[in-house]
Every structure is written in structure tokens, then in C-alpha cells.
Amino acid sequence: AQSVSQHNHHVILSEAASLELGCNYSYGGTVNLFWYVQYPGQHLQLLLKYFSGDPLVKGIKGFEAEFIKSKFSFNLRKPSVQWSDTAEYFCAVRLSGGYNKLIFGAGTRLAVHP
Amino acid sequence: KAGVTQTPRYLIKTRGQQVTLSCSPISGHRSVSWYQQTPGQGLQFLFEYFSETQRNKGNFPGRFSGRQFSNSRSEMNVSTLELGDSALYLCASSTTGEGTEAFFGQGTRLTVV
């Protein structure tokens, strides 16, 4: 069955540190890739998405992600985190022909200390 | 424009009862999907409706059902509630076609006691 793996379940960083969250998926066909963020008490919000073209995509709030097809990966990065980035981050995959069904990873809880 | 609206925000039900949750999508969005979020299983897809038809279904028992109305509003129903049904139920709305993304509501927190 298709699945999405997020390698880090909990990450703790100090402000200004760099962030990289790993995401791998298992599916050999065409995919759309997403990173969503869930701030405490808020709804899921889209950070960025990849459909085609340049594998390096930029999202909101300084986040970016790189799609590496050969590694089935879509890692999220931010050069310098802020306390306000404290949230849970979800990687999600939509398979070709899967309509709008999203397969989510387990999520990564990020805590940023001032 | 208004986002995805889910009602009610919180529910407490007793085992064996049934419950109906409601979702109003963003205006113009015809696709509505439902997800269950739990600490143990994460976010799991329940089903998707488009133009009043279920066109995709996750791996949940038949106690979980849904429907969509002609104005794209959707409801999901869970019958014979079990303790394990306690979760945050999220609704997402989308347009169709290439390049679409899902917009999520704040969810309905269901507690089964």
C-alpha cells in the first residue's frame, strides 16, 4: 500500500537554527506533494506544494522543499527558524488518478525555543 | 472569502449512539473530503464527495458514511459509536483539475464516552 514516512517525530531547535524535515513516499507513479502546518489550536494550512517543473519549491514564511524523484523524497527546509514556527508539520501525497485523496505522514512536532 | 466551516466544533456522545457532522466548503469548491485525526493513527482519509457522488473511500468500516448536497455542503455520519471513534474529524474542500490544493476546516472534536 502507498505510504508516507516522516523520519522525525519530535524536533527541538533554538531560534535561528536551520531546519530540515524528511519525507519519503512509496509510490512509483506520478504524485503531487504537499507540506501542511498545524499551529496549536488552528486548522491545517498549506505551506507549499509540488506538481511539476522546478523540483525546488518555495512556500510561505520562508519555507522551501526539494523533490528528489530518484529518492522518492520531498524534504522541507528553512534556513533560520523562529519561535512562531512551533507547530506540527505534515507531509502529504496525492496519487495520480486518486482524485483529491491525500495520504499523510505521521507528522513532526517542532518546538522552537527562544 | 469564507473558509471551510465545520459544525459543531465539539461533541460528546455515548457509546452506541450515532452522530452527524457537517461541513460547508469554500464557495465554488465542489469536492469535499473527510479525514480522521488521532494521536495514534495520524490523519487518515475517510471519503471524498464530488457533485453529490462518493468517488473515493478510505479503509473504514461501514459505520462511517457521508453524503453531499447539491450546494456542495457535506455531512458525515458515524453510527453505533465506539470509544475508538474519539478523534478530530477534518473536512477539506477543493476545486478540481490539475494544480488544486485542499483547504481544511478547523475540525469537529468528537469524544465518545
Side-chain angles (χ1 to χ4, degrees), chain A residues 3-5 23-27 29-36 46-52 54-57 65-75 90-96 101-105, chain B residues 98-102:
Chain A
S3 64
V4 178
S5 298
C23 173
N24 286 87
Y25 62 94
S26 61
Y27 181 68
T30 302
V31 295
N32 299 148
L33 298 158
F34 305 84
W35 276 98
Y36 281 88
L46 183 70
L47 271 180
L48 45 78
K49 60 187 178 184
Y50 173 79
F51 293 114
S52 63
D54 188 344
L56 184 62
V57 293
E66 184 175 14
F67 171 50
I68 303 179
K69 189 174 182 179
S70 61
K71 294 185 178 181
F72 300 92
S73 71
F74 190 55
N75 292 353
F90 295 92
C91 180
V93 170
R94 182 170 63 205
L95 311 180
S96 62
K101 173 184 176 180
L102 293 173
I103 303 169
F104 281 90
Chain B
E98 189 64 29
T100 61
E101 65 189 71

Side-chain angles (χ1 to χ4, degrees), chain B residues 67-88:
Chain B
R67 59 178 176 168
Q68 187 180 34
F69 302 94
S70 58
N71 62 357
S72 295
R73 190 177 71 83
S74 177
E75 289 180 347
M76 68 162 281
N77 184 276
V78 188
S79 62
T80 321
L81 284 165
E82 301 177 359
L83 295 178
D85 297 332
S86 295
L88 181 66

Side-chain angles (χ1 to χ4, degrees), chain A residues 32 34 36 38 41-46 49 51-52 88 90 94 97-106, chain B residues 31 33 35 37 42-43 45 48 55-57 88 90 94-106:
Chain A
N32 299 148
F34 305 84
Y36 281 88
Q38 191 171 35
Q42 295 190 29
H43 62 282
L44 276 168
Q45 300 173 43
L46 183 70
K49 60 187 178 184
F51 293 114
S52 63
E88 190 160 16
F90 295 92
R94 182 170 63 205
Y99 298 114
N100 284 316
K101 173 184 176 180
L102 293 173
I103 303 169
F104 281 90
Chain B
S31 166
S33 299
Y35 295 82
Q37 186 176 19
L43 279 149
F45 173 80
E48 180 196 0
R55 66 177 185 181
N56 216 337
K57 189 177 189 304
L88 181 66
L90 296 172
S94 309
T95 56
T96 55
E98 189 64 29
T100 61
E101 65 189 71
F103 293 83
F104 285 83
Q106 291 208 281

Side-chain angles (χ1 to χ4, degrees), chain B residues 26-61:
Chain B
I26 291 171
S27 178
H29 288 193
R30 295 166 62 193
S31 166
V32 174
S33 299
W34 290 88
Y35 295 82
Q36 182 195 64
Q37 186 176 19
T38 59
Q41 299 296 319
L43 279 149
Q44 293 190 289
F45 173 80
L46 281 155
F47 27 65
E48 180 196 0
Y49 285 86
F50 177 76
S51 291
E52 302 178 65
T53 301
Q54 185 184 91
R55 66 177 185 181
N56 216 337
K57 189 177 189 304
N59 190 24
F60 278 82

